[in-house]
Amino acid sequence: MTVSSYIKEWTDAPVKNVLAGMVGTFALIPEVIAFSYAAGVAPEVGLYASFVISIAIAITGGRPGMISGAAGSVALVAADLVHGHGFQYLLLATLLAGAIQVLFGLFKLQNMMRFVSREVATGFVNALAILIFSAQIPQMVHVSWQTYALIALGLAIVYLLPRITTLIPSPLICIVVLTGISIAYPMPVHVVSDLGPLPTGLPSFTLPHLPLTLETFKIVLPYAFAMAMVGVLESLMTAGVVDEMTDTHSNKRMECTGLGVSNILVGLFGGMAGCGMIGQTVGNLRYGGTGRLSTFTAGAFLLLLLVVLHNFVAQVPVAALVAIMIMVSISTFSWSSLRDLVRHPRLSSTVMIVTVVVVVLTHDLAAGVACGVILSGLFFSFQVMQLLQITSSLSTDGQTRTYHVRGQLFFASTTILTDAIDFQDAAPHVVLDLSAARLWDISAADALEKLVSRLQARSKTVHITHTDERAARLLNALGHETLLDDTQPA
């Protein structure tokens, strides 16, 4: 990245980015408070973490326009550590998770994201949209009729106001109008202060008060590694979604290292590890927040609200936030994927559905993506395996049977080759022509050696012709020097 392009990411459309970032702030507050409770920590831990991450990743991250904060997927991992060992262990785990993420970026391990198929990415987005909507349901159950009226009014403002003007994001107008109504006409509705106590001061520098012993690291490291992997996965998946929505490219390596640096700073200021938040990010993009300034504003405005406008934030009706998050969930869901279920191959649709189901049932985005990637790999192997073709021909004198192998030989397709060989054939000479085949792994080379041994045990002479250098290396790695001598072209 050049200096000029980096500066451009800060200076493009400043007004739009600032306003969009402010929308992202209000979308952060209820989610972060809920995730803090899920992790077993005070709301200020998640709110301070979101402030620090947003500021730091706006400077160090590789995906402009992406909102990061204390996310639910990381909170689920952190919960067990906090409940079992306490908050100080979470601080140390956050510092170690950040360091692991920095190493993840330095060693270019972000390239592993190439194994995430489109079906998995779609399932990830759809599952997240469902989770965002389901998270609003508790705020719509056993509430007064005024709450429903405010939600309906909020949705009307969010969706209808852009038809009149887009100068100011409609969610901001929604928050101001609904807060004004609830203050002017007091009514039995939940407000933000009901979600939990809000911090009123600045975060302070702190270090974990723990003995740095081997026993401590044995407890913390597994959680730190899990938090680091979940954070990287969710951030890179979110960055990929933003890339597609904006038709731009992000620096995934820079995003990994930037997230790591941000989480190290979070740990030093008493917060818990976080990552990219796709719901808030989609809302940010929807209102023009495509630059680094929007991410920075989301963090800076959050701190301003907590410290200077504390009393106003406390009186914001939860109904306004619910209306905004419903809009975010609707816009996040890939509605075209429902039509694609009947148009796309069944295996692809299955991968998408399984990803959604696993995420929704476990509330773990990493688990859903992992299942989707595994299924994609299995289905791909199955499809490639079926492409292997073996034909045979007999010489005019009936002495030589030649097997022509075409396709990919790897662990899943070796049985097809073995089943195609007629060990009872009367021809005393066998030729395996691999000119149109390719060996990919040790399993294929080992299966080839065993196949030759079985034929030789029946007093047949075997020649393997037209192998490439890769096949020769694999056979040599298994120590099959005798077979390797027979692999030269006949």
Side-chain angles (χ1 to χ4, degrees), residues 2 11 37 212-213 222 265 268 305 321 323 374 398 407 411 414 460:
T2 62
T11 56
Y37 276 112
L212 300 181
T213 62
L265 292 173
L268 294 175
L305 289 176
L321 305 179
I374 292 172
F411 64 91
T414 53
K460 298 179 184 292

Side-chain angles (χ1 to χ4, degrees), residues 449-462:
E449 188 275 336
K450 290 179 180 178
L451 180 62
V452 172
S453 297
R454 290 175 63 182
L455 290 169
Q456 290 175 340
R458 293 183 173 274
S459 301
K460 298 179 184 292
T461 60
V462 183

Side-chain angles (χ1 to χ4, degrees), residues 146 149-150 153-154 157 173-187 189 312 315 317:
Q146 290 94 334
L150 288 179
L153 177 59
I157 293 173
I173 302 298
C174 167
I175 290 170
V176 172
V177 170
L178 267 59
T179 303
I181 292 174
S182 64
I183 293 175
Y185 304 97
M187 57 187 76
V189 296
F312 174 79
Q315 296 181 74

Side-chain angles (χ1 to χ4, degrees), residues 26-84:
F26 282 105
L28 273 173
I29 292 173
E31 296 284 307
V32 168
I33 292 175
F35 295 151
S36 297
Y37 276 112
V41 298
E44 65 179 17
V45 174
L47 291 168
Y48 283 155
S50 300
F51 156 67
V52 175
I53 291 176
S54 294
I55 296 295
I57 202 126
I59 299 169
T60 63
R63 175 63 266 179
M66 195 166 90
I67 303 294
S68 297
S73 54
V74 180
L76 291 173
V77 178
D80 288 339
L81 179 61
V82 174
H83 295 152

Side-chain angles (χ1 to χ4, degrees), residues 162-231:
R163 298 186 178 183
I164 301 173
T165 178
T166 58
L167 186 61
I168 300 177
S170 58
L172 278 181
I173 302 298
C174 167
I175 290 170
V176 172
V177 170
L178 267 59
T179 303
I181 292 174
S182 64
I183 293 175
Y185 304 97
M187 57 187 76
V189 296
H190 292 299
V191 294
V192 168
S193 60
D194 296 328
L195 299 176
L198 299 174
T200 57
L202 298 173
S204 58
F205 182 84
T206 183
L207 289 173
H209 299 294
L210 289 172
L212 300 181
T213 62
L214 182 61
E215 190 63 30
T216 299
F217 282 100
K218 282 183 179 179
I219 294 172
V220 171
L221 270 175
Y223 290 99
F225 186 80
M227 291 163 65
M229 293 302 101
V230 169

Side-chain angles (χ1 to χ4, degrees), residues 72-159:
S73 54
V74 180
L76 291 173
V77 178
D80 288 339
L81 179 61
V82 174
H83 295 152
H85 301 280
F87 176 65
Q88 295 300 319
Y89 283 84
L90 175 61
L91 290 183
L92 181 57
T94 297
L95 291 172
L96 292 177
I100 292 170
Q101 288 167 339
V102 170
L103 293 175
F104 198 92
L106 292 178
F107 287 102
K108 301 182 180 181
L109 298 181
Q110 77 283 349
N111 290 326
M112 293 173 60
M113 287 300 296
R114 294 176 181 176
F115 294 100
V116 178
S117 65
R118 178 188 173 188
E119 295 81 12
V120 175
T122 302
F124 168 84
V125 170
N126 288 348
L128 195 54
I130 294 171
L131 290 182
I132 292 171
F133 183 82
S134 63
Q136 313 313 311
I137 293 177
Q139 306 298 336
M140 296 187 288
V141 177
H142 305 303
V143 295
S144 63
W145 68 267
Q146 290 94 334
T147 299
Y148 294 114
L150 288 179
I151 292 174
L153 177 59
L155 288 171
I157 293 173
V158 166
Y159 281 107

Side-chain angles (χ1 to χ4, degrees), residues 140-462:
M140 296 187 288
V141 177
H142 305 303
V143 295
S144 63
W145 68 267
Q146 290 94 334
T147 299
Y148 294 114
L150 288 179
I151 292 174
L153 177 59
L155 288 171
I157 293 173
V158 166
Y159 281 107
L160 298 180
L161 186 63
R163 298 186 178 183
I164 301 173
T165 178
T166 58
L167 186 61
I168 300 177
S170 58
L172 278 181
I173 302 298
C174 167
I175 290 170
V176 172
V177 170
L178 267 59
T179 303
I181 292 174
S182 64
I183 293 175
Y185 304 97
M187 57 187 76
V189 296
H190 292 299
V191 294
V192 168
S193 60
D194 296 328
L195 299 176
L198 299 174
T200 57
L202 298 173
S204 58
F205 182 84
T206 183
L207 289 173
H209 299 294
L210 289 172
L212 300 181
T213 62
L214 182 61
E215 190 63 30
T216 299
F217 282 100
K218 282 183 179 179
I219 294 172
V220 171
L221 270 175
Y223 290 99
F225 186 80
M227 291 163 65
M229 293 302 101
V230 169
V232 165
L233 177 63
E234 189 164 350
S235 287
L236 294 185
M237 290 288 290
T238 303
V241 171
V242 178
D243 289 351
E244 185 173 340
M245 291 180 66
T246 60
D247 291 326
T248 58
H249 300 287
S250 58
N251 188 327
K252 304 297 191 301
R253 185 184 184 187
M254 188 175 176
E255 185 63 31
C256 288
T257 54
L259 180 63
V261 170
S262 300
N263 278 325
I264 290 174
L265 292 173
V266 165
L268 294 175
F269 283 92
M272 65 177 181
C275 60
M277 302 179 73
I278 192 169
Q280 286 71 14
T281 298
V282 170
N284 183 47
L285 294 174
R286 183 181 177 90
Y287 293 99
T290 58
R292 294 180 183 272
L293 187 58
S294 64
T295 307
F296 183 90
T297 301
F301 190 56
L302 175 61
L303 187 65
L304 177 68
L305 289 176
L306 297 177
V307 176
V308 180
L309 304 177
H310 175 86
N311 293 332
F312 174 79
V313 175
Q315 296 181 74
V316 172
V318 174
L321 305 179
V322 170
I324 293 172
M325 296 313 293
I326 289 175
M327 177 274 294
V328 170
S329 67
I330 292 173
S331 60
T332 299
F333 195 90
S334 176
W335 297 100
S336 62
S337 64
L338 298 179
R339 181 186 68 246
D340 293 338
L341 283 175
V342 295
R343 297 172 53 191
H344 286 177
R346 290 183 180 179
L347 294 182
S348 297
S349 297
T350 300
V351 170
M352 194 272 284
I353 292 173
V354 168
T355 302
V356 171
V357 170
V358 172
V359 172
V360 171
L361 291 180
T362 65
H363 285 214
D364 189 340
L365 294 166
V369 171
C371 289
V373 169
I374 292 172
L375 270 183
S376 295
L378 290 175
F379 291 161
F380 175 77
S381 297
F382 178 75
Q383 291 171 326
V384 173
M385 176 189 72
Q386 291 182 313
L387 297 177
L388 186 68
Q389 298 178 347
I390 297 100
T391 57
S392 66
S393 59
L394 187 65
S395 61
T396 53
D397 58 5
Q399 295 297 299
T400 303
R401 170 71 66 179
T402 301
Y403 291 94
H404 305 276
V405 184
R406 179 181 297 276
Q408 312 302 315
L409 279 170
F410 62 110
F411 64 91
S413 62
T414 53
T415 54
I416 297 177
L417 174 61
T418 302
D419 292 343
I421 303 299
D422 184 2
F423 295 96
Q424 307 298 326
D425 193 354
H429 305 293
V430 176
V431 175
L432 297 177
D433 182 2
L434 302 183
S435 59
R438 185 171 178 82
L439 271 71
W440 284 104
D441 55 16
I442 292 294
S443 296
D446 188 55
L448 196 60
E449 188 275 336
K450 290 179 180 178
L451 180 62
V452 172
S453 297
R454 290 175 63 182
L455 290 169
Q456 290 175 340
R458 293 183 173 274
S459 301
K460 298 179 184 292
T461 60
V462 183

